[in-house]
Coordinates of all heavy atoms in Angstrom, one line a residue:
M1 N 0.9 -1.2 0.0 CA 0.0 0.0 0.0 C 0.9 1.2 0.0 O 1.7 1.4 0.9 CB -0.9 0.0 1.3 CG -1.9 1.1 1.3 SD -3.0 0.9 2.7 CE -1.9 1.2 4.1
P2 N 0.7 2.1 -1.0 CA 1.6 3.3 -1.0 C 1.3 4.2 0.2 O 0.1 4.4 0.6 CB 1.2 4.0 -2.3 CG 0.1 3.2 -2.9 CD -0.2 2.1 -2.0
R3 N 2.3 4.8 0.7 CA 2.1 5.7 1.8 C 2.6 7.1 1.4 O 3.7 7.2 0.9 CB 2.9 5.2 3.0 CG 2.7 6.0 4.3 CD 3.0 5.1 5.5 NE 4.3 4.6 5.5 CZ 5.3 5.0 6.4 NH1 5.0 5.9 7.3 NH2 6.5 4.4 6.4
L4 N 1.8 8.1 1.6 CA 2.2 9.4 1.2 C 3.3 9.9 2.1 O 3.3 9.7 3.3 CB 1.0 10.4 1.3 CG 0.0 10.2 0.2 CD1 -1.2 11.2 0.5 CD2 0.6 10.5 -1.1
F5 N 4.3 10.5 1.5 CA 5.4 11.0 2.3 C 5.0 12.0 3.4 O 5.4 11.9 4.5 CB 6.4 11.8 1.3 CG 7.5 12.4 2.0 CD1 8.4 11.7 2.8 CD2 7.6 13.8 2.0 CE1 9.4 12.3 3.4 CE2 8.7 14.4 2.6 CZ 9.6 13.7 3.3
A6 N 4.0 12.8 3.1 CA 3.6 13.8 4.1 C 3.0 13.1 5.3 O 3.2 13.5 6.4 CB 2.6 14.8 3.5
I7 N 2.2 12.1 5.0 CA 1.6 11.3 6.1 C 2.7 10.6 7.0 O 2.7 10.7 8.2 CB 0.6 10.3 5.6 CG1 -0.6 11.0 4.9 CG2 0.1 9.4 6.7 CD1 -1.6 10.1 4.2
G8 N 3.7 10.1 6.3 CA 4.8 9.5 7.0 C 5.5 10.4 7.9 O 5.8 10.1 9.0
L9 N 5.6 11.7 7.4 CA 6.3 12.7 8.2 C 5.5 13.1 9.4 O 5.9 13.3 10.5 CB 6.6 13.9 7.4 CG 8.0 14.0 6.7 CD1 8.1 15.4 6.1 CD2 9.1 13.7 7.7
L10 N 4.2 13.3 9.2 CA 3.3 14.0 10.2 C 2.8 13.0 11.3 O 2.7 13.5 12.4 CB 2.2 14.7 9.5 CG 2.6 15.8 8.6 CD1 1.4 16.4 7.9 CD2 3.2 16.9 9.5
C11 N 2.5 11.8 10.9 CA 1.8 11.0 11.9 C 2.4 9.6 12.2 O 2.6 9.2 13.3 CB 0.3 11.0 11.7 SG -0.1 9.9 10.4
C12 N 2.6 8.9 11.1 CA 2.8 7.5 11.2 C 4.3 7.1 11.2 O 4.7 6.5 10.2 CB 2.1 6.7 10.2 SG 0.4 7.4 9.9
T13 N 5.1 7.5 12.1 CA 6.5 7.3 12.0 C 7.0 6.5 13.2 O 8.0 6.9 13.9 CB 7.3 8.6 11.9 OG1 6.8 9.5 12.9 CG2 7.0 9.3 10.6
P14 N 6.4 5.4 13.5 CA 6.9 4.6 14.7 C 8.4 4.2 14.5 O 9.1 4.1 15.4 CB 6.0 3.3 14.7 CG 5.4 3.3 13.3 CD 5.3 4.7 12.8
A15 N 8.8 4.0 13.2 CA 10.2 3.6 13.0 C 11.1 4.7 13.4 O 12.3 4.5 13.7 CB 10.4 3.3 11.5
L16 N 10.6 5.9 13.6 CA 11.5 7.1 13.9 C 11.4 7.4 15.4 O 12.1 8.3 15.8 CB 11.1 8.3 13.1 CG 11.2 8.1 11.6 CD1 10.5 9.3 10.9 CD2 12.7 8.1 11.2
A17 N 10.6 6.7 16.1 CA 10.3 7.1 17.5 C 11.5 7.0 18.4 O 11.6 7.8 19.3 CB 9.1 6.3 18.0
G18 N 12.4 6.1 18.2 CA 13.4 6.0 19.2 C 14.6 5.1 18.7 O 14.5 4.6 17.6
E19 N 15.5 4.9 19.5 CA 16.7 4.1 19.1 C 16.5 2.6 19.2 O 17.4 1.8 18.8 CB 17.9 4.5 20.0 CG 18.2 6.0 19.7 CD 19.4 6.5 20.6 OE1 20.1 5.6 21.0 OE2 19.5 7.7 20.8
T20 N 15.4 2.2 19.7 CA 15.1 0.8 19.9 C 14.3 0.2 18.8 O 14.0 -1.0 18.8 CB 14.3 0.6 21.2 OG1 13.2 1.3 21.2 CG2 15.1 0.9 22.4
S21 N 14.1 1.0 17.7 CA 13.3 0.4 16.6 C 13.9 -0.8 16.0 O 15.1 -0.8 15.8 CB 13.0 1.5 15.6 OG 14.0 2.4 15.5
P22 N 13.2 -1.8 15.7 CA 13.8 -3.0 15.1 C 14.3 -2.7 13.7 O 13.8 -1.8 13.1 CB 12.6 -4.0 15.0 CG 11.4 -3.4 15.7 CD 11.8 -1.9 15.9
S23 N 15.4 -3.4 13.3 CA 16.0 -3.1 12.1 C 15.1 -3.1 10.9 O 15.2 -2.3 10.0 CB 17.1 -4.2 11.8 OG 18.0 -4.2 12.9
A24 N 14.1 -4.0 10.9 CA 13.2 -4.1 9.8 C 12.5 -2.8 9.6 O 12.2 -2.4 8.4 CB 12.3 -5.3 10.0
D25 N 12.1 -2.1 10.6 CA 11.4 -0.9 10.5 C 12.3 0.2 9.8 O 11.8 1.0 9.1 CB 11.0 -0.4 11.9 CG 9.8 -1.1 12.4 OD1 9.3 -2.0 11.7 OD2 9.3 -0.8 13.5
L26 N 13.5 0.2 10.2 CA 14.4 1.2 9.6 C 14.6 0.9 8.1 O 14.6 1.9 7.3 CB 15.8 1.1 10.3 CG 16.6 2.4 10.5 CD1 15.7 3.4 11.2 CD2 17.8 2.1 11.3
V27 N 14.7 -0.3 7.7 CA 14.8 -0.7 6.3 C 13.5 -0.2 5.6 O 13.5 0.3 4.5 CB 15.0 -2.2 6.1 CG1 14.9 -2.6 4.7 CG2 16.4 -2.6 6.7
D28 N 12.3 -0.5 6.2 CA 11.1 0.0 5.6 C 11.1 1.5 5.4 O 10.7 2.0 4.4 CB 9.9 -0.4 6.6 CG 9.4 -1.8 6.3 OD1 10.0 -2.5 5.5 OD2 8.5 -2.2 7.0
L29 N 11.5 2.2 6.5 CA 11.6 3.6 6.4 C 12.4 4.1 5.3 O 12.0 5.0 4.5 CB 12.2 4.1 7.7 CG 12.6 5.6 7.6 CD1 11.6 6.5 8.3 CD2 14.0 5.8 8.2
V30 N 13.6 3.5 5.1 CA 14.5 3.9 4.0 C 13.8 3.7 2.7 O 13.8 4.6 1.8 CB 15.8 3.2 4.1 CG1 16.6 3.4 2.8 CG2 16.6 3.7 5.3
H31 N 13.2 2.6 2.5 CA 12.6 2.3 1.2 C 11.3 3.1 0.9 O 11.0 3.5 -0.2 CB 12.4 0.8 1.0 CG 13.8 0.1 0.7 ND1 14.3 0.0 -0.5 CD2 14.7 -0.4 1.6 CE1 15.5 -0.6 -0.4 NE2 15.7 -0.8 0.9
Q32 N 10.5 3.3 2.0 CA 9.3 4.1 1.8 C 9.5 5.6 1.9 O 9.1 6.3 0.9 CB 8.3 3.6 2.8 CG 7.8 2.2 2.5 CD 6.8 1.7 3.5 OE1 6.1 2.5 4.1 NE2 6.7 0.4 3.6
D33 N 10.0 6.1 2.9 CA 10.2 7.5 3.1 C 11.3 8.1 2.2 O 11.1 9.1 1.5 CB 10.3 7.9 4.6 CG 9.1 7.6 5.4 OD1 8.0 7.4 4.8 OD2 9.1 7.6 6.6
C34 N 12.4 7.5 2.3 CA 13.5 8.0 1.4 C 13.1 7.6 0.0 O 13.4 8.4 -1.0 CB 14.8 7.3 1.8 SG 15.2 7.4 3.5
G35 N 12.5 6.4 -0.2 CA 12.1 6.0 -1.5 C 11.1 6.8 -2.2 O 11.0 6.8 -3.4
S36 N 10.4 7.6 -1.4 CA 9.4 8.5 -2.1 C 10.1 9.5 -3.0 O 9.5 10.0 -3.9 CB 8.5 9.2 -1.1 OG 9.2 10.1 -0.3
C37 N 11.3 9.8 -2.7 CA 12.1 10.7 -3.6 C 13.2 9.9 -4.3 O 13.5 10.2 -5.5 CB 12.8 11.8 -2.8 SG 11.6 13.1 -2.3
H38 N 13.8 9.0 -3.6 CA 15.0 8.3 -4.3 C 14.6 7.1 -5.0 O 15.5 6.4 -5.5 CB 16.0 8.0 -3.2 CG 16.7 9.3 -2.6 ND1 17.7 9.9 -3.2 CD2 16.4 10.0 -1.5 CE1 18.1 11.0 -2.5 NE2 17.3 11.0 -1.5
G39 N 13.3 6.7 -5.0 CA 12.9 5.5 -5.7 C 12.8 4.4 -4.7 O 13.7 4.3 -3.8
L40 N 11.8 3.5 -4.9 CA 11.6 2.4 -3.9 C 12.8 1.5 -3.8 O 13.1 0.9 -2.8 CB 10.4 1.6 -4.3 CG 9.0 2.2 -3.9 CD1 7.9 1.2 -4.3 CD2 9.0 2.4 -2.4
T41 N 13.6 1.4 -4.9 CA 14.8 0.6 -4.8 C 16.0 1.4 -4.7 O 17.1 1.0 -4.9 CB 14.9 -0.3 -6.1 OG1 14.9 0.5 -7.3 CG2 13.8 -1.3 -6.2
L42 N 15.8 2.7 -4.4 CA 16.9 3.7 -4.2 C 17.7 4.0 -5.4 O 18.8 4.6 -5.2 CB 17.7 3.3 -3.0 CG 17.0 2.9 -1.7 CD1 17.9 2.4 -0.6 CD2 16.1 4.0 -1.2
K43 N 17.3 3.6 -6.6 CA 18.1 3.9 -7.7 C 17.9 5.2 -8.3 O 18.5 5.5 -9.4 CB 18.0 2.7 -8.7 CG 16.6 2.7 -9.4 CD 16.7 1.5 -10.4 CE 15.4 1.1 -11.0 NZ 14.6 2.1 -11.6
G44 N 17.1 6.1 -7.6 CA 17.0 7.4 -8.1 C 15.6 7.7 -8.6 O 14.8 6.8 -9.0
G45 N 15.2 9.0 -8.4 CA 13.8 9.4 -8.8 C 14.0 10.9 -8.8 O 14.8 11.5 -9.6
L46 N 13.2 11.6 -8.0 CA 13.5 13.1 -7.8 C 14.9 13.3 -7.2 O 15.6 14.1 -7.7 CB 12.4 13.6 -6.8 CG 12.7 15.0 -6.3 CD1 12.6 16.1 -7.4 CD2 11.7 15.4 -5.2
G47 N 15.2 12.4 -6.3 CA 16.6 12.5 -5.7 C 17.5 11.5 -6.4 O 17.0 10.6 -7.2
P48 N 18.8 11.6 -6.3 CA 19.7 10.8 -7.0 C 19.7 9.3 -6.5 O 19.2 9.0 -5.4 CB 21.1 11.4 -6.7 CG 20.9 12.1 -5.4 CD 19.5 12.6 -5.4
D49 N 20.4 8.5 -7.2 CA 20.7 7.1 -6.9 C 21.5 7.1 -5.5 O 22.5 7.7 -5.4 CB 21.6 6.5 -8.0 CG 21.8 5.0 -7.9 OD1 21.8 4.5 -6.7 OD2 22.1 4.4 -8.9
I50 N 20.9 6.4 -4.5 CA 21.6 6.3 -3.2 C 21.9 4.8 -2.9 O 21.9 4.4 -1.7 CB 20.9 7.0 -2.1 CG1 19.4 6.6 -2.0 CG2 21.0 8.5 -2.2 CD1 18.8 7.0 -0.7
R51 N 22.2 4.0 -3.9 CA 22.6 2.6 -3.7 C 24.1 2.6 -3.3 O 24.8 3.6 -3.6 CB 22.3 1.8 -4.9 CG 20.8 1.5 -5.1 CD 20.6 0.8 -6.4 NE 21.0 1.6 -7.5 CZ 20.9 1.1 -8.8 NH1 20.4 -0.1 -9.1 NH2 21.3 1.9 -9.8
P52 N 24.6 1.6 -2.7 CA 25.9 1.6 -2.1 C 27.0 2.0 -3.1 O 27.9 2.8 -2.8 CB 26.2 0.1 -1.7 CG 24.8 -0.4 -1.4 CD 23.9 0.3 -2.3
Q53 N 26.9 1.5 -4.4 CA 27.9 1.9 -5.4 C 28.0 3.4 -5.7 O 29.0 3.9 -6.1 CB 27.8 1.0 -6.6 CG 26.5 1.2 -7.4 CD 25.4 0.3 -7.0 OE1 25.2 -0.1 -5.9 NE2 24.5 -0.1 -8.0
S54 N 26.8 4.1 -5.4 CA 26.8 5.5 -5.7 C 27.3 6.3 -4.6 O 27.5 7.5 -4.7 CB 25.3 5.9 -6.1 OG 24.8 5.1 -7.1
L55 N 27.4 5.7 -3.4 CA 27.7 6.5 -2.2 C 29.1 6.1 -1.7 O 29.4 6.5 -0.5 CB 26.7 6.2 -1.1 CG 25.2 6.7 -1.4 CD1 24.3 6.3 -0.3 CD2 25.2 8.2 -1.6
S56 N 29.9 5.5 -2.5 CA 31.2 4.9 -2.0 C 32.1 6.0 -1.6 O 33.1 5.8 -0.8 CB 31.8 4.0 -3.0 OG 31.9 4.7 -4.3
H57 N 31.9 7.3 -2.0 CA 32.8 8.4 -1.6 C 32.4 8.9 -0.2 O 33.1 9.7 0.3 CB 32.7 9.5 -2.6 CG 31.3 10.0 -2.9 ND1 30.4 9.3 -3.6 CD2 30.7 11.2 -2.6 CE1 29.3 10.0 -3.7 NE2 29.5 11.2 -3.1
Y58 N 31.3 8.4 0.4 CA 31.0 8.8 1.7 C 31.5 7.9 2.8 O 31.6 6.7 2.5 CB 29.4 8.8 1.9 CG 28.7 10.0 1.3 CD1 28.0 9.9 0.1 CD2 28.8 11.3 1.9 CE1 27.3 11.0 -0.4 CE2 28.1 12.4 1.3 CZ 27.4 12.2 0.2 OH 26.7 13.3 -0.3
D59 N 31.8 8.4 4.0 CA 32.0 7.5 5.1 C 30.7 7.6 6.0 O 29.9 8.5 5.7 CB 33.3 7.8 5.9 CG 33.3 9.2 6.4 OD1 32.2 9.8 6.7 OD2 34.4 9.8 6.5
V60 N 30.6 6.7 7.0 CA 29.4 6.7 7.7 C 29.1 8.0 8.4 O 27.9 8.5 8.4 CB 29.5 5.5 8.8 CG1 28.3 5.6 9.8 CG2 29.4 4.2 8.1
E61 N 30.1 8.7 9.0 CA 29.9 9.9 9.7 C 29.3 11.0 8.8 O 28.3 11.7 9.1 CB 31.2 10.4 10.3 CG 31.8 9.5 11.4 CD 30.8 9.3 12.5 OE1 30.1 10.3 12.9 OE2 30.8 8.2 13.1
T62 N 29.9 11.2 7.6 CA 29.5 12.2 6.7 C 28.1 11.9 6.2 O 27.2 12.8 6.1 CB 30.5 12.3 5.4 OG1 31.8 12.3 5.9 CG2 30.2 13.5 4.6
L63 N 27.9 10.6 5.9 CA 26.6 10.3 5.3 C 25.5 10.4 6.3 O 24.4 10.9 6.0 CB 26.6 8.8 4.8 CG 25.5 8.3 4.0 CD1 25.3 9.2 2.8 CD2 25.7 6.9 3.5
S64 N 25.7 10.1 7.6 CA 24.7 10.3 8.6 C 24.4 11.8 8.8 O 23.3 12.2 9.1 CB 25.0 9.6 9.9 OG 26.2 10.0 10.5
T65 N 25.4 12.6 8.6 CA 25.2 14.1 8.7 C 24.4 14.6 7.6 O 23.5 15.4 7.8 CB 26.6 14.8 8.7 OG1 27.4 14.3 9.7 CG2 26.4 16.3 9.0
V66 N 24.6 14.0 6.4 CA 23.7 14.4 5.2 C 22.3 14.1 5.5 O 21.4 14.8 5.3 CB 24.2 13.7 3.9 CG1 23.2 13.8 2.8 CG2 25.6 14.3 3.5
V67 N 22.1 12.9 6.1 CA 20.7 12.4 6.4 C 20.1 13.3 7.5 O 19.0 13.8 7.4 CB 20.7 11.0 6.9 CG1 19.3 10.5 7.4 CG2 21.1 10.0 5.7
L68 N 20.9 13.6 8.6 CA 20.4 14.4 9.7 C 20.1 15.9 9.3 O 19.1 16.5 9.7 CB 21.4 14.4 10.8 CG 21.4 13.1 11.6 CD1 22.6 13.2 12.6 CD2 20.1 12.9 12.4
D69 N 21.0 16.5 8.5 CA 20.9 17.9 8.2 C 20.3 18.2 6.8 O 20.0 19.3 6.5 CB 22.2 18.6 8.3 CG 22.7 18.5 9.7 OD1 21.9 18.5 10.7 OD2 23.9 18.6 10.0
G70 N 20.2 17.2 5.9 CA 19.7 17.4 4.6 C 20.7 18.1 3.8 O 21.9 18.3 4.2
I71 N 20.4 18.5 2.6 CA 21.3 19.3 1.7 C 20.6 20.6 1.4 O 19.6 20.7 0.8 CB 21.6 18.5 0.4 CG1 22.2 17.1 0.7 CG2 22.5 19.3 -0.5 CD1 22.5 16.3 -0.5
P72 N 21.1 21.7 2.0 CA 20.5 23.0 2.0 C 20.2 23.4 0.5 O 21.0 23.1 -0.4 CB 21.5 24.0 2.6 CG 22.4 23.1 3.5 CD 22.4 21.7 2.8
E73 N 19.1 24.1 0.3 CA 18.8 24.6 -1.0 C 18.4 23.6 -2.0 O 18.3 23.8 -3.2 CB 19.9 25.5 -1.6 CG 20.7 26.3 -0.6 CD 20.5 27.8 -0.7 OE1 20.5 28.3 -1.9 OE2 20.4 28.4 0.3
T74 N 18.2 22.3 -1.5 CA 17.7 21.3 -2.4 C 16.5 20.7 -1.8 O 16.1 21.0 -0.6 CB 18.7 20.2 -2.6 OG1 18.8 19.3 -1.5 CG2 20.1 20.7 -2.9
A75 N 15.9 19.7 -2.5 CA 14.7 19.0 -1.9 C 15.0 18.0 -0.9 O 14.2 17.4 -0.3 CB 13.9 18.3 -3.1
M76 N 16.3 17.8 -0.6 CA 16.7 16.8 0.4 C 16.5 17.3 1.8 O 17.2 18.3 2.2 CB 18.2 16.4 0.1 CG 18.8 15.5 1.2 SD 17.9 13.9 1.3 CE 18.6 13.3 2.8
P77 N 15.5 16.8 2.5 CA 15.1 17.4 3.8 C 16.0 17.0 4.9 O 16.6 15.9 4.9 CB 13.7 16.9 4.0 CG 13.7 15.6 3.3 CD 14.7 15.6 2.2
P78 N 16.1 17.8 6.0 CA 16.8 17.3 7.2 C 15.9 16.3 8.0 O 14.7 16.6 8.1 CB 17.0 18.6 8.0 CG 16.0 19.5 7.5 CD 15.6 19.1 6.1
W79 N 16.5 15.2 8.5 CA 15.7 14.2 9.2 C 16.0 14.3 10.7 O 15.4 13.6 11.5 CB 16.1 12.8 8.7 CG 15.6 12.7 7.3 CD1 16.2 13.1 6.1 CD2 14.4 12.1 6.8 NE1 15.4 12.8 5.0 CE2 14.3 12.2 5.4 CE3 13.3 11.5 7.5 CZ2 13.2 11.7 4.7 CZ3 12.3 11.0 6.8 CH2 12.2 11.1 5.4
R80 N 16.8 15.3 11.1 CA 17.1 15.4 12.5 C 15.9 15.5 13.4 O 15.8 14.9 14.5 CB 18.0 16.6 12.8 CG 18.7 16.6 14.1 CD 19.6 17.9 14.3 NE 20.8 17.9 13.4 CZ 21.9 17.2 13.8 NH1 22.0 16.5 14.9 NH2 23.0 17.3 13.0
P81 N 14.8 16.3 13.0 CA 13.6 16.4 13.8 C 12.9 15.0 14.0 O 12.1 14.9 15.0 CB 12.7 17.3 13.1 CG 13.5 18.0 12.1 CD 14.7 17.1 11.8
L82 N 13.2 14.1 13.2 CA 12.5 12.8 13.2 C 13.3 11.6 13.5 O 12.8 10.5 13.7 CB 11.9 12.6 11.8 CG 10.9 13.6 11.3 CD1 10.6 13.4 9.8 CD2 9.6 13.5 12.1
M83 N 14.6 11.8 13.6 CA 15.5 10.6 13.7 C 16.6 10.9 14.7 O 17.1 11.9 14.7 CB 16.0 10.4 12.3 CG 16.7 9.1 12.0 SD 17.4 9.0 10.4 CE 16.0 8.8 9.3
S84 N 16.9 9.9 15.5 CA 18.0 10.0 16.4 C 19.3 9.9 15.7 O 19.3 9.4 14.6 CB 17.9 9.0 17.5 OG 18.2 7.7 16.9
E85 N 20.4 10.4 16.3 CA 21.7 10.3 15.6 C 22.1 8.8 15.4 O 22.7 8.4 14.4 CB 22.7 11.0 16.4 CG 22.5 12.5 16.4 CD 23.7 13.4 16.8 OE1 24.7 12.8 17.1 OE2 23.5 14.6 16.9
A86 N 21.7 8.0 16.4 CA 22.0 6.6 16.3 C 21.3 5.9 15.1 O 21.8 5.1 14.4 CB 21.6 5.9 17.6
D87 N 20.0 6.3 14.9 CA 19.3 5.8 13.8 C 19.9 6.3 12.5 O 19.9 5.5 11.5 CB 17.8 6.2 13.9 CG 17.0 5.2 14.8 OD1 17.5 4.2 15.1 OD2 15.8 5.5 15.0
A88 N 20.2 7.5 12.4 CA 20.8 8.1 11.2 C 22.1 7.3 10.9 O 22.4 7.1 9.7 CB 21.1 9.6 11.4
K89 N 22.9 7.0 11.9 CA 24.1 6.2 11.6 C 23.8 4.8 11.1 O 24.4 4.4 10.2 CB 24.9 6.1 13.0 CG 26.3 6.0 12.7 CD 27.1 6.2 14.0 CE 28.5 5.6 13.8 NZ 29.2 5.4 15.1
R90 N 22.7 4.2 11.6 CA 22.3 2.9 11.1 C 21.8 3.0 9.7 O 22.1 2.1 8.9 CB 21.3 2.3 12.1 CG 22.0 1.9 13.4 CD 21.0 1.4 14.5 NE 20.4 0.2 14.1 CZ 19.1 -0.1 14.1 NH1 18.3 0.9 14.6 NH2 18.6 -1.2 13.8
V91 N 21.1 4.1 9.4 CA 20.6 4.3 8.0 C 21.8 4.4 7.1 O 21.9 3.8 6.0 CB 19.7 5.5 7.9 CG1 19.5 5.9 6.5 CG2 18.3 5.3 8.6
A92 N 22.8 5.2 7.6 CA 24.0 5.4 6.8 C 24.7 4.1 6.5 O 25.2 3.8 5.4 CB 25.0 6.4 7.4
E93 N 24.8 3.3 7.6 CA 25.5 2.0 7.4 C 24.7 1.1 6.4 O 25.3 0.4 5.6 CB 25.6 1.3 8.8 CG 26.7 1.8 9.6 CD 26.7 1.4 11.0 OE1 25.7 0.7 11.4 OE2 27.6 1.7 11.8
Y94 N 23.4 1.2 6.5 CA 22.6 0.4 5.6 C 22.8 0.9 4.2 O 22.9 0.0 3.3 CB 21.1 0.5 6.1 CG 20.1 -0.1 5.1 CD1 20.1 -1.5 4.9 CD2 19.3 0.7 4.3 CE1 19.2 -2.1 4.0 CE2 18.4 0.1 3.4 CZ 18.4 -1.3 3.2 OH 17.5 -1.8 2.3
L95 N 22.8 2.2 4.0 CA 22.9 2.7 2.6 C 24.3 2.3 2.1 O 24.4 2.0 0.9 CB 22.8 4.2 2.6 CG 21.4 4.8 2.9 CD1 21.4 6.3 3.0 CD2 20.4 4.3 1.9
L96 N 25.3 2.3 2.9 CA 26.7 2.0 2.4 C 26.9 0.5 2.1 O 27.6 0.2 1.2 CB 27.7 2.5 3.4 CG 27.9 4.0 3.4 CD1 28.9 4.4 4.5 CD2 28.4 4.5 2.1
Q97 N 26.2 -0.3 2.9 CA 26.5 -1.7 2.8 C 25.3 -2.5 2.2 O 25.5 -3.6 1.8 CB 26.7 -2.3 4.2 CG 28.1 -1.8 4.8 CD 28.1 -1.9 6.3 OE1 27.3 -2.6 6.9 NE2 29.1 -1.2 6.9
G98 N 24.2 -1.8 2.1 CA 23.0 -2.6 1.5 C 22.4 -3.5 2.5 O 21.6 -4.3 2.2
E99 N 22.9 -3.5 3.7 CA 22.3 -4.4 4.8 C 22.6 -3.7 6.2 O 23.5 -2.9 6.3 CB 22.9 -5.8 4.7 CG 24.4 -5.8 5.0 CD 25.0 -7.2 4.8 OE1 24.8 -7.7 3.7 OE2 25.5 -7.7 5.8
L100 N 21.8 -4.2 7.1 CA 21.9 -3.6 8.5 C 22.8 -4.6 9.3 O 22.5 -5.8 9.2 CB 20.6 -3.4 9.1 CG 19.9 -2.1 8.8 CD1 18.5 -2.2 9.5 CD2 20.6 -0.9 9.3
K101 N 23.7 -4.1 10.1 CA 24.5 -5.0 11.0 C 23.7 -5.3 12.2 O 23.0 -4.4 12.7 CB 25.8 -4.3 11.4 CG 26.9 -4.5 10.4 CD 28.2 -4.1 11.0 CE 28.8 -3.0 10.2 NZ 30.0 -2.4 10.8
Ligands
HEC1 C1 11.6 15.2 -0.6 C2 12.5 14.4 -1.3 C3 13.5 13.6 -0.6 C4 13.4 12.7 0.5 C5 12.1 12.3 1.2 C6 14.7 12.2 0.7 N1 15.6 12.8 -0.1 FE1 17.6 12.4 -0.2 N2 17.9 13.8 -1.7 C7 16.8 14.4 -2.3 C8 17.4 15.3 -3.4 C9 16.6 16.1 -4.3 C10 18.8 15.1 -3.3 C11 19.9 15.8 -4.2 C12 20.2 17.1 -3.6 C13 21.3 17.7 -4.5 O1 20.9 18.3 -5.5 O2 22.5 17.7 -4.1 C14 19.1 14.2 -2.2 C15 20.3 13.7 -1.9 C16 20.6 12.7 -1.0 C17 21.9 12.2 -0.7 C18 23.2 12.6 -1.3 C19 23.5 11.8 -2.5 C20 24.8 12.1 -3.1 O3 25.1 11.4 -4.1 O4 25.6 12.9 -2.6 C21 21.7 11.2 0.2 C22 22.8 10.3 0.8 C23 20.3 11.1 0.5 N3 19.6 12.1 -0.2 C24 19.7 10.2 1.4 C25 18.4 10.2 1.8 C26 17.9 9.4 2.8 C27 18.6 8.4 3.6 C28 16.6 9.7 2.9 C29 15.5 9.1 3.9 C30 15.9 9.2 5.3 C31 16.3 10.8 2.0 N4 17.4 11.0 1.3 C32 15.0 11.3 1.7 C33 15.5 14.3 -2.0 C34 15.0 13.6 -1.0

């Protein structure tokens, strides 16, 4: 069932609620919420391809900062209001490796 990005942001974000969210929720979040712009398989849409081979120039720290703060003056939003730093780091690890540790 497609979920509107705005709804995901405003109300239904259990995956973002805390650092204890199960890994599967974080993966869902990436593919649904990030996927609303980057494509469900993350190969690009409104936003660029963010599969591991496209992000190899990033390290985990830099990438989690991009996720937390967004990219100013672009459609890439900051996720800090919705995501803990620990979750952002796990998202970054997931994006870089294609799997969650
Ligand atoms: C509202 C649309 C939108 C959403 C939602 C979104 N992004 Fe983006 N993202 C973009 C756009 C547009 C860019 C390209 C910005 C630019 O021009 O540099 C981008 C860029 C990025 C980049 C940098 C890519 C590179 O090659 O440097 C990363 C990483 C990224 N997004 C990750 C995410 C993650 C992770 C999420 C979910 C937590 C997410 N994005 C959600 C629109 C979005």
Side-chain angles (χ1 to χ4, degrees):
M1 184 173 68
R3 183 154 61 109
L4 287 176
F5 173 62
I7 294 174
L9 266 188
L10 292 175
C11 73
C12 316
T13 51
L16 296 169
E19 298 178 20
T20 55
S21 30
S23 304
D25 283 0
L26 213 54
V27 172
D28 276 359
L29 164 101
V30 167
H31 287 271
Q32 289 182 24
D33 289 347
C34 312
S36 65
C37 286
H38 291 277
L40 280 180
T41 57
L42 309 180
K43 67 180 168 53
L46 169 67
D49 188 333
I50 52 169
R51 290 174 296 177
Q53 63 269 34
S54 306
L55 296 177
S56 52
H57 54 292
Y58 281 109
D59 58 31
V60 169
E61 294 302 324
T62 313
L63 193 55
S64 59
T65 306
V66 168
V67 174
L68 285 171
D69 293 334
I71 302 178
E73 328 247 315
T74 77
M76 174 61 192
W79 291 82
R80 197 181 288 279
L82 298 168
M83 195 183 282
S84 69
E85 294 196 2
D87 275 350
K89 207 169 161 192
R90 291 172 66 227
V91 167
E93 283 167 357
Y94 173 69
L95 292 176
L96 286 175
Q97 291 159 13
E99 62 185 60
L100 277 175
K101 271 195 243 172

